[in-house]
Amino acid sequence: MPSTSRLRPIRYAGMPAAAAVLLLALSACAAPAAPSKSSSSTAVGDYPSAHIHGIAVEEASGKIMLATHDGLFDVTSKPAVKIGPTNDLMGFSPTKDEGVFYASGHPGEGSTLPNPVGLIRSSDGGKTWEQLSRQGESDFHAMTLTKSGIVASDGILRTSPDGKTWNTSAAEFQPAVLAGNPGSATVLATTEQGLQRSTDGGRTWQLLGSAPVVQFAAFATTADAIGIEPSGAVHYSSDGGVTWARKGNVNGEIQAITTAKAADGQLNIWAATGEGVLVSTDGGANFAPYSPS
């Protein structure tokens, strides 16, 4: 692994050079430098300064958590609160069960986890992590859950029914983001070539030539999905990513998104940037800064 993390430019096919977007290099992340050795929750600044790799929102409590290069943070209030040990949570996927997360990446200083950490799971909201598989082998940069199991990429696209045994997919692309839903076998993968879609839990894939070239994607339900282009254009799909409709636009350097369907049927969208979290309560037509208490 390289000694320092870095970014490299990835150009989406068919896009002009001016529209090229910086994405995290799939092979260019290393363990975070000089992190805290404490594994307890500690107060930090108003907002994490490290790069954000994932976002989770607890629908019941409204708690917003960011998985970052320096660990997991609760940004629901000011100052933000660090949760658990310092690990570079490169891959991060919440589950339908509150407080249960899957992750991957690299250990921070003082961590007892191997490097890379492989697949790990927390059942207590990120305070502690259990080693499941591929310790010392895989740094999954993209990860999602489906009813068939886990789909993840460490440079090779892999699927697992139980988080312990793994199969290798025949897909040759490297996804920037994987999006799925625990109630469905459908998976979306954002790639340089365009949006890829699987209906069998990540085993086989089809390139959706008519879909927008999105950088981020997330499912609110088994059918409702959101995609965001590098330009910030927001798109909505009601059929699991087959067809898309343009909604609105989100400004800022987006680093992670999530979405959920509200009681009124509208989609809520949270988009994490380097400066704060943006929220849409109208399906992506409009966004406003999230203001923690």
Side-chain angles (χ1 to χ4, degrees), residues 5-217:
S5 61
R6 60 182 173 86
L7 295 173
R8 66 179 172 90
I10 297 178
R11 285 182 168 81
Y12 284 92
M15 294 181 65
V21 178
L22 286 176
L23 297 177
L24 280 169
L26 294 174
S27 61
C29 180
S36 168
K37 295 183 180 181
S38 172
S39 62
S40 61
S41 299
T42 55
V44 295
D46 283 352
Y47 193 75
S49 60
H51 192 276
I52 299 162
H53 303 308
I55 179 172
V57 177
E58 291 182 352
E59 294 185 57
S61 65
K63 180 188 289 187
I64 300 175
M65 290 161 285
L66 303 181
T68 80
H69 186 73
D70 290 337
L72 188 65
F73 293 86
D74 178 358
V75 298
T76 315
S77 59
K78 288 185 178 181
V81 175
K82 176 121 175 260
I83 303 173
T86 298
N87 291 305
D88 181 8
L89 302 177
M90 282 299 308
F92 180 76
S93 184
T95 72
K96 62 181 180 180
D97 299 317
E98 189 171 298
V100 180
F101 309 130
Y102 287 88
S104 188
H106 301 278
E109 184 178 328
S111 173
T112 59
L113 294 175
N115 188 16
V117 305
L119 183 69
I120 55 177
R121 178 177 61 197
S122 175
S123 300
D124 56 9
K127 296 176 184 177
T128 61
W129 294 89
E130 168 194 7
Q131 301 177 43
L132 293 183
S133 61
R134 298 195 64 82
Q135 277 68 52
E137 296 181 275
S138 289
D139 167 19
F140 293 115
H141 280 227
M143 180 189 306
T144 194
L145 301 178
T146 74
K147 72 175 184 180
S148 305
I150 299 170
V151 185
S153 175
D154 58 359
I156 297 174
L157 199 63
R158 305 178 191 273
T159 62
S160 173
D162 55 8
K164 296 181 180 180
T165 58
W166 293 86
N167 300 302
T168 300
S169 170
E172 297 181 355
F173 60 82
Q174 294 189 22
V177 170
L178 290 166
N181 183 280
S184 169
T186 298
V187 191
L188 299 178
T190 68
T191 76
E192 295 181 58
Q193 296 76 29
L195 191 63
Q196 298 270 357
R197 183 173 186 264
S198 172
T199 57
D200 55 12
R203 290 188 292 274
T204 61
W205 296 83
Q206 178 186 10
L207 178 64
L208 301 178
S210 60
V213 181
V214 296
Q215 180 180 359
F216 297 96

